[in-house]
Amino acid sequence: MRWWRRQYYFLGYALSSLWRRRGQALTVLVVHVLLVGILASVVLFTRALKRESDLLFEGENSCYVQHMQGGRQLYVPAQWLQEVSSIRGVSALEGRLWGYYFDPLTQANYTLMATDGDDLRAGEVVLGAGVQRVALLRPGDSISFRAYNGMDHVFEVRRVLEPEVDLVAADMVLMREDSLRALYGLPPGVYSDLVVTIPNPAESVTIARKIQERLPGARPMLQEDLQRSYRAMLDWRGGLSLFILSAAVLSFLILAWDRAGTVHLKERQEIATLKSLGWSVDDLMRWKQWECFVLAGLAYVLGLALAIIHIGWFDGSLLRPVLRGWSVIYPAYQPALVPAWPELLLIGALAVIPYLLASLVPIWRLALLDPGETLR
Amino acid sequence: MGRTAKFLALAILALLLLAVVPAALAVLTSVESPGREARRELAARLQLSDLCLNTEARYLRHASLSDWQSPFQEGPGFPDLYPGGTVIPVPPADRIGFAASAAPEVE
C-alpha cells in the first residue's frame, strides 16, 4: 500500500515536471511518435502483403515448368506436354500462354495472357484496371498491339477487371489463345510454361526431379518454393526498410542523449534542491523513470495509432513508391491489418529501452553528486 | 484537491489511450482486405504465380518465377538498373529448379 502511494506521488510529480518543461517534452514526443509510426508502418505493410501472398497462392499443389537455355527463358515445345503427362503422379497438366508487351504510348509494361474464360470472341480483350487507368479506355473502346511482324492488331475492350483484383492482375490483358499466338507469332502447341498439378504433396520433389532428368533444360519450380520465395522477398524488403530506418533510430538516440545529457540549468537546480530537501538518489531516479515511461509509452501508443491510420486508412501510401520504383502500372490495394504483435512489441522495446537509458544515466550521475556541487 | 482530480483525469486518459489503441488494432485486424475472394478466384483460374507489385521489368513482375540470371540479361557486366530490384530480391537459390546440386536429394 505504501509502495503504491509512493509511486502515485512520483507519477504525479513526474507529470507536473513534464508539464513545466512542455516544450522540450513535446519535441521528444513528436520525434518519438514519428519514429514508432514509421517502423510500425513498415511492419504492418510487409505483414499484410505476406499474408496476402500466403492466402492467394495456397491450395493446389502445383509445379511450374519453364524451358531455359543460356540463362534465358524459351517457349516450351509441344512434345514436352506428352513427356510430362506420362510421369506417374501428375494429375493434370496445362500449358500457359503469356508474355509481356511494352506499350510505347503509355510507356507501360503489360502482361498479355491467353484465357479460354470470359467467353471472349476473336478480337476482344479484358483489361486489368491498371491498364485501364493508364490507357484511359472504357469497354467498347479499341486498343491496338503491334505484332511480332510489325502489323497492328486492333482489339475491342470487352470489359475491365474490378480494381479489387489489382494485386494480381493490374497489368493484365486477357485475350483468346489464337489472338495471342497471332500477336507473338507462335505456332500451335507451343507454350510459355507448363503448370503441373500434383495431388500428393509428398511426391512433388520426386516429380520435379523426374522432369529435370527427362527434359534437359527444364526448370521445374514447386508452388511451395514460390511461396517461400515470396516470404523471403518480403522479409528482405521489410528488413531493408528497417535497416535504412535504423539511421532514424540512431539520430533519435542522439537527440535523446543530447536532450537528456546536457541537463538544463533549471533541472540541475531542481535536482539539487530536491536532494537537499532529503530526496534520495533512488527517489530521484524513480521520478525520472516515471517521466520516461509516460513519455515513451505515450509515444509508442500514438505511433502505433499513426501506423494503423497510415496502413488502414491511407493504404500505406508513403511506402508504396519504394515498392513500385519506376513502374507505370501499380495495383490499387487496401492492405488488411495483421496482428503482428511480436514485431510491434519489439519496436516498442527498441523505442523505450534506449531512450530510458539515454535519459536516466546523466540524471543518475548528477544525482550522485553533492547538491552544492551540482548547483555550481 | 484540484491537483488530485487533474492527476486522476490524466491517469484515466492515459490508461484509456493505452487500452484503446491495441484494442483498435485487435478489432481492425479481423477485417479482411476487400476483394480477396475475387483475387483468389482469378489467381486459381489463370494459375497465377505472382503479386503484381511492380511492373518495371520481367523479373520484378514475376519475381518468384525469376532466377539469378534474369536481372542481368542485357549484356555481360550489365547491372540490375531498376529501383524495384533493391526491394524485390532474387528468390532463394536453395530451391529446386536452380543448379542440380542445390536440389534436395531423392532416393
Side-chain angles (χ1 to χ4, degrees):
Chain A
M1 191 61 206
R2 240 180 81 78
W3 189 84
W4 280 109
R5 265 191 106 70
R6 273 171 63 82
Q7 300 308 314
Y8 170 81
Y9 287 127
F10 280 128
L11 178 56
Y13 192 77
L15 285 178
S16 68
S17 80
L18 274 179
W19 184 246
R20 263 180 278 130
R21 293 177 290 110
R22 48 188 171 271
Q24 188 197 344
L26 197 69
T27 319
V28 174
L29 186 74
V30 167
V31 179
H32 217 149
V33 167
L34 285 178
L35 188 71
V36 174
I38 297 168
L39 292 176
S41 294
V42 172
V43 165
L44 287 177
F45 194 61
T46 308
R47 285 289 299 264
L49 284 177
K50 228 176 186 177
R51 201 168 124 82
E52 200 67 46
S53 80
D54 276 354
L55 290 176
L56 274 179
F57 304 120
E58 75 179 0
E60 261 186 286
N61 187 46
S62 49
C63 174
Y64 291 81
V65 182
Q66 286 181 346
H67 182 196
M68 302 293 285
Q69 188 181 342
R72 279 163 202 272
Q73 198 189 336
L74 305 179
Y75 287 100
V76 173
Q79 62 268 30
W80 278 30
L81 273 102
Q82 286 136 29
E83 192 67 45
V84 174
S85 58
S86 71
I87 295 174
R88 225 178 19 187
V90 171
S91 73
L93 174 66
E94 204 178 316
R96 292 199 309 166
L97 189 64
W98 62 280
Y100 300 106
Y101 182 84
F102 177 74
D103 186 355
L105 269 178
T106 56
Q107 300 274 301
N109 283 317
Y110 304 153
T111 299
L112 270 50
M113 194 165 198
T115 176
D116 48 10
D118 287 297
D119 302 323
L120 284 173
R121 286 192 295 264
E124 282 184 336
V125 289
V126 173
L127 298 186
V131 178
Q132 192 266 336
R133 278 195 297 272
V134 295
L136 303 170
L137 292 169
R138 278 178 313 212
D141 290 352
S142 52
I143 181 169
S144 99
F145 296 104
R146 179 147 294 187
Y148 74 105
N149 54 5
M151 299 270 286
D152 280 326
H153 290 210
V154 180
F155 292 89
E156 188 187 322
V157 178
R158 170 75 176 268
R159 72 184 181 97
V160 176
L161 294 172
E162 304 78 22
E164 59 186 26
V165 298
D166 260 14
L167 194 60
V168 290
D171 66 336
M172 288 270 183
V173 178
L174 302 175
M175 57 179 72
R176 272 166 53 140
E177 191 180 321
D178 50 354
S179 308
L180 195 57
R181 284 191 192 281
L183 204 60
Y184 284 162
L186 293 173
V190 163
Y191 290 96
S192 309
D193 51 20
L194 305 179
V195 183
V196 183
T197 308
I198 304 164
N200 181 5
E203 288 179 329
S204 47
V205 174
T206 321
I207 290 174
R209 285 299 288 265
K210 264 189 195 152
I211 293 172
Q212 265 182 326
E213 276 163 24
R214 290 197 191 177
L215 303 165
R219 178 171 173 243
M221 284 164 288
L222 300 175
Q223 176 84 48
E224 53 182 304
D225 279 345
L226 299 187
Q227 268 180 274
R228 204 158 54 85
S229 302
Y230 255 94
R231 255 172 262 138
M233 178 195 304
L234 291 167
D235 277 340
W236 159 269
R237 200 183 80 80
L240 190 76
S241 322
L242 291 180
F243 177 71
I244 293 165
L245 286 171
S246 62
V249 178
L250 284 177
S251 45
F252 171 70
L253 283 184
I254 293 169
L255 175 91
W257 183 266
D258 187 54
R259 275 264 165 238
T262 54
V263 184
H264 281 252
L265 185 66
K266 270 193 182 159
E267 221 174 344
R268 277 167 174 271
Q269 285 171 343
E270 193 174 356
I271 290 168
T273 316
L274 288 174
K275 216 178 166 197
S276 52
L277 282 174
W279 282 43
S280 67
V281 176
D282 192 51
D283 294 338
L284 288 168
M285 297 310 290
R286 208 41 53 82
W287 156 47
K288 279 290 162 189
Q289 254 171 37
W290 274 114
E291 254 189 44
C292 293
F293 273 133
V294 168
L295 210 62
L298 198 64
Y300 178 61
V301 170
L302 290 179
L304 215 54
L306 198 71
I308 292 172
I309 292 168
H310 174 209
I311 302 300
W313 270 271
F314 295 98
D315 303 338
S317 49
L318 292 177
L319 295 174
R320 286 171 175 242
V322 182
L323 192 58
R324 68 173 179 242
W326 293 338
S327 309
V328 176
I329 294 178
Y330 41 86
Y333 163 57
Q334 278 176 270
L337 291 165
V338 178
W341 283 115
E343 288 102 319
L344 291 178
L345 288 175
L346 183 71
I347 289 172
L350 281 177
V352 174
I353 294 170
Y355 172 68
L356 211 63
L357 289 177
S359 312
L360 288 182
V361 171
I363 300 289
W364 176 67
R365 287 217 308 252
L366 216 59
L368 285 180
L369 294 175
D370 183 68
E373 211 174 310
T374 315
L375 272 182
R376 250 177 277 126
Chain B
M1 193 58 210
R3 278 178 78 90
T4 318
K6 221 193 270 175
F7 169 74
L8 275 178
L10 255 177
I12 290 169
L13 194 75
L15 274 177
L16 271 179
L17 208 65
L18 279 173
V20 159
V21 172
L25 185 60
V27 171
L28 289 171
T29 49
S30 60
V31 181
E32 279 304 341
S33 173
R36 181 171 289 145
E37 263 321 298
R39 285 198 286 275
R40 273 186 76 121
E41 190 268 327
L42 190 73
R45 182 157 67 85
L46 300 176
Q47 301 194 299
L48 302 179
S49 58
D50 281 80
L51 298 179
C52 174
L53 297 174
N54 183 306
T55 55
E56 285 172 308
R58 301 179 293 250
Y59 55 89
L60 297 174
R61 172 63 180 91
H62 291 98
S64 76
L65 290 182
S66 172
D67 52 58
W68 287 32
Q69 290 110 32
S70 14
F72 312 106
Q73 286 201 342
E74 314 313 328
F78 205 81
D80 167 19
L81 45 74
Y82 290 99
T86 315
V87 289
I88 302 178
V90 289
D94 61 342
R95 69 185 198 192
I96 207 165
F98 277 86
S101 59
E105 279 305 309
V106 182
E107 52 277 274

